[in-house]
Amino acid sequence: MEAWFLAAAGWLLAPVCSGLIVGFANKAKQNKELHIRLERDKSAHDQLVDKGMKVLLRRELVDAYRDHVTNSLPLTVERFHEITEVHATYNGFGGNGTGDAIYDAIAEKQIHIVK
């Protein structure tokens, strides 16, 4: 009788276990596909944010050039440090030689100490 019970349990549990395994495998596949899609979307979003930051940083360098080179406004130590940080960050986002040329022109200006 015990053998009959074990055989019946095996016949009943085999499809249940198989269904659970297939269900878990499908869920894992869906999770992987969702993760890939989210990473792709995040990557596209990050690229847009990076591009926007690069544009804003370049604009800051151009404005600083206009103020301190073209219009000869005094360049303070604090402002020069800000411009240096903007330039370094711009280069970190993949800035080009134009940003370097703008920065070099600003760096050649005499720094004024404000009391």
Side-chain angles (χ1 to χ4, degrees):
M1 176 132 162
E2 190 175 294
W4 175 83
F5 179 74
L6 290 176
W11 280 97
L12 290 174
L13 290 178
V16 171
C17 290
S18 177
L20 287 173
I21 290 171
V22 169
F24 285 134
N26 286 339
K27 190 64 174 173
K29 182 181 177 185
Q30 289 173 349
N31 285 342
K32 183 177 180 181
E33 290 170 353
L34 177 62
H35 179 72
I36 290 169
R37 186 168 42 95
L38 290 174
E39 283 296 316
R40 184 185 64 237
D41 292 348
K42 181 181 178 216
S43 177
H45 177 265
D46 288 349
Q47 288 175 0
L48 287 173
V49 170
D50 289 353
K51 185 175 182 177
M53 286 301 299
K54 186 176 170 184
V55 167
L56 293 173
L57 292 165
R58 185 175 191 285
R59 169 54 42 205
E60 182 66 25
L61 285 173
V62 169
D63 289 347
Y65 181 89
R66 183 194 63 238
D67 291 345
H68 302 293
V69 177
T70 304
N71 295 336
S72 298
L73 293 176
L75 180 62
T76 64
V77 172
E78 292 84 9
R79 181 66 177 137
F80 183 67
H81 285 298
E82 290 172 3
I83 294 166
T84 300
E85 289 295 318
V86 167
H87 175 252
T89 306
Y90 177 72
N91 280 343
F93 278 104
N96 57 22
T98 304
D100 293 337
I102 291 171
Y103 176 77
D104 291 342
I106 295 168
E108 291 176 4
K109 300 306 286 180
Q110 181 180 2
I111 294 178
H112 298 272
I113 305 294
V114 177
K115 296 180 183 182

